[in-house]
């Protein structure tokens, strides 16, 4: 089978003279072949992917929503709520295909490694949910890498020794005067940057949204003993969390991702029960201690939608 153009001269034919009909036919055939090649090689991404086509949610317990009714999913001990922010986003977008891969207790390594849970259960690597045709990824991760749980428990214990002082800050102060928690911020940022790179490699067409963490404490005045953080440690811990959110925002910008800013004062663990978005050590609404409640999840969902440029927050709006 010949690969020559039907208008191409044979080896025995003399070359076509410039301006001759044969030359014009050859030029036209060459141009048409070249145009077809350009069209064939044009990236399919010229047509923007609709985020609602295939949405995957990744993250830890601030994404999963432990103990917010109703817990569902497999494995059950990931404690994913049917009223967490990924569900709200999926419903508002009318997502054609939605996977919530988040799991309570997850750290960045659980994006690529299996997460062992109790009772013999485990959650598959969250990146397993990503595919080349995924069009939207939300990711809320980094809090456990910083050590949210450990810090809360340590500061609660230390507060009993000096409720009016700053025993927790002093606990994390190093011999050289540096702060251990401050040092964890860039380390966590590097891990999150690797996660964002991994998402881009697996789902190059996806819009990626990095979701910040709802503020846990007031800027200054706390509410000991309802929330057992010593008076002088309230501002300290708030500044650490603010630094984490700033780090997440910076890493999102570097990776070309969208950042959903959920910062809001007056909605922390010390706020009145009807106004708080994060429950305290002793929850007043169904939610895990020191975690978002239903109102908090709804707000985070709305902030994600706003970051995506979606004005209507529900299909009924």
């Amino acid at each position: 089978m010949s690969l020559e153009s039907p208008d191409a001269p044979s080896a025995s034919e003399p070359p076509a003279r410039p301006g001759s009909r044969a030359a014009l036919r050859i030029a036209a055939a060459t141009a048409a072949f070249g145009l077809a090649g350009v069209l064939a090689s044009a990236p399919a991404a010229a047509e923007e992917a609709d985020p609602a086509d295939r949405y995957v949610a990744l993250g830890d317990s601030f994404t999963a929503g432990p103990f917010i009714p109703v817990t569902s999913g497999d494995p059950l001990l990931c404690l994913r709520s049917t009223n967490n922010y990924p569900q709200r986003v999926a419903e508002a977008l009318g997502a054609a295909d939605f996977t919530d891969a988040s799991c309570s207790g997850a750290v960045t390594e659980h994006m690529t490694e299996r997460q062992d849970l109790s009772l013999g259960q485990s959650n598959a690597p969250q990146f397993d949910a990503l595919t080349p045709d995924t069009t939207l990824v939300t990711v809320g991760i980094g809090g456990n890498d910083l050590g949210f749980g450990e810090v809360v428990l340590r500061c609660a214990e230390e507060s009993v020794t000096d409720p009016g002082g700053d025993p927790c800050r002093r606990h994390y102060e190093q011999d050289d005067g540096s702060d251990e928690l401050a040092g964890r911020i860039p380390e966590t940022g590097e891990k999150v940057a690797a996660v964002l790179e991994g998402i881009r490699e697996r789902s190059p067409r996806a819009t990626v949204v990095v979701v910040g963490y709802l503020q846990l404490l007031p800027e200054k005045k706390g509410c000991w003993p309802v929330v057992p953080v010593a008076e002088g440690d309230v501002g300290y811990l708030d500044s650490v969390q603010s630094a984490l959110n700033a780090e997440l925002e910076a890493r999102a910008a570097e990776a070309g991702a969208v950042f959903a800013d959920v910062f809001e004062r007056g909605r922390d663990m010390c706020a009145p029960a009807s106004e708080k978005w994060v429950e305290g050590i002793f929850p007043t609404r169904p939610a895990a201690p020191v975690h978002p409640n239903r109102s908090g999840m709804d707000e985070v969902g709305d902030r994600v939608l706003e970051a995506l440029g979606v004005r209507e927050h529900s299909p009924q709006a």
Side-chain angles (χ1 to χ4, degrees), residues 255-268:
V258 177
F259 181 69
D261 186 358
V262 298
F263 181 86
E264 185 83 21
R265 289 293 180 199
R267 301 290 187 172
D268 52 74

Side-chain angles (χ1 to χ4, degrees), residues 56-59 111-112 126-127 130-132 134-141 192-210 255 257:
V56 175
L58 311 173
M111 299 299 107
T112 56
Q126 294 190 32
F127 275 0
L130 298 176
T131 59
T134 296
T135 54
L136 172 63
V137 179
T138 59
V139 55
I141 201 72
V192 172
V195 167
L196 297 178
E197 182 179 354
I199 293 172
R200 187 63 63 198
E201 290 172 353
R202 292 163 175 79
S203 302
R205 299 175 63 232
T207 296
V208 181
V209 182
V210 178

Side-chain angles (χ1 to χ4, degrees), residues 76-275:
L76 194 62
L77 288 181
C78 277
L79 302 178
R80 303 181 191 112
S81 171
T82 56
N83 285 298
N84 60 18
Y85 76 75
Q87 291 282 347
R88 186 173 183 86
V89 170
E91 290 169 8
L93 293 177
D97 188 346
F98 167 54
T99 301
D100 184 356
S102 66
C103 193
S104 296
V107 295
T108 50
E109 71 177 24
H110 294 135
M111 299 299 107
T112 56
E113 297 180 15
R114 182 172 296 276
Q115 179 181 352
D116 291 328
L117 307 169
S118 59
L119 302 178
Q121 294 188 19
S122 63
N123 191 45
Q126 294 190 32
F127 275 0
D128 285 4
L130 298 176
T131 59
D133 62 346
T134 296
T135 54
L136 172 63
V137 179
T138 59
V139 55
I141 201 72
N144 291 326
D145 293 86
L146 179 67
F148 268 177
E150 164 228 315
V151 172
V152 168
L153 291 175
R154 170 57 65 181
C155 292
E157 292 175 3
E158 295 290 338
S159 74
V160 180
T161 67
D162 187 8
D166 58 350
C168 197
R169 182 193 64 78
R170 287 185 275 111
H171 172 81
Y172 288 108
E173 186 177 35
Q174 304 295 290
D175 293 338
D176 61 0
S178 63
D179 184 82
E180 180 183 341
L181 297 186
R184 294 182 189 179
I185 298 292
E187 295 173 1
T188 299
E190 291 175 3
K191 294 177 180 178
V192 172
V195 167
L196 297 178
E197 182 179 354
I199 293 172
R200 187 63 63 198
E201 290 172 353
R202 292 163 175 79
S203 302
R205 299 175 63 232
T207 296
V208 181
V209 182
V210 178
V211 183
Y213 287 91
L214 289 172
Q215 219 67 14
L216 298 177
L217 289 164
E219 189 173 14
K220 293 181 180 179
K221 185 175 177 56
C223 53
W224 193 92
V226 176
V227 174
V229 174
E231 183 177 346
D233 285 328
V234 172
Y236 165 67
L237 291 178
D238 179 67
S239 67
V240 170
Q241 189 189 349
S242 295
L244 173 62
N245 277 329
E247 181 75 11
L248 294 176
E249 183 173 12
R251 296 294 182 166
E254 290 173 2
V258 177
F259 181 69
D261 186 358
V262 298
F263 181 86
E264 185 83 21
R265 289 293 180 199
R267 301 290 187 172
D268 52 74
M269 297 188 289
C270 288
S274 61
E275 298 177 17

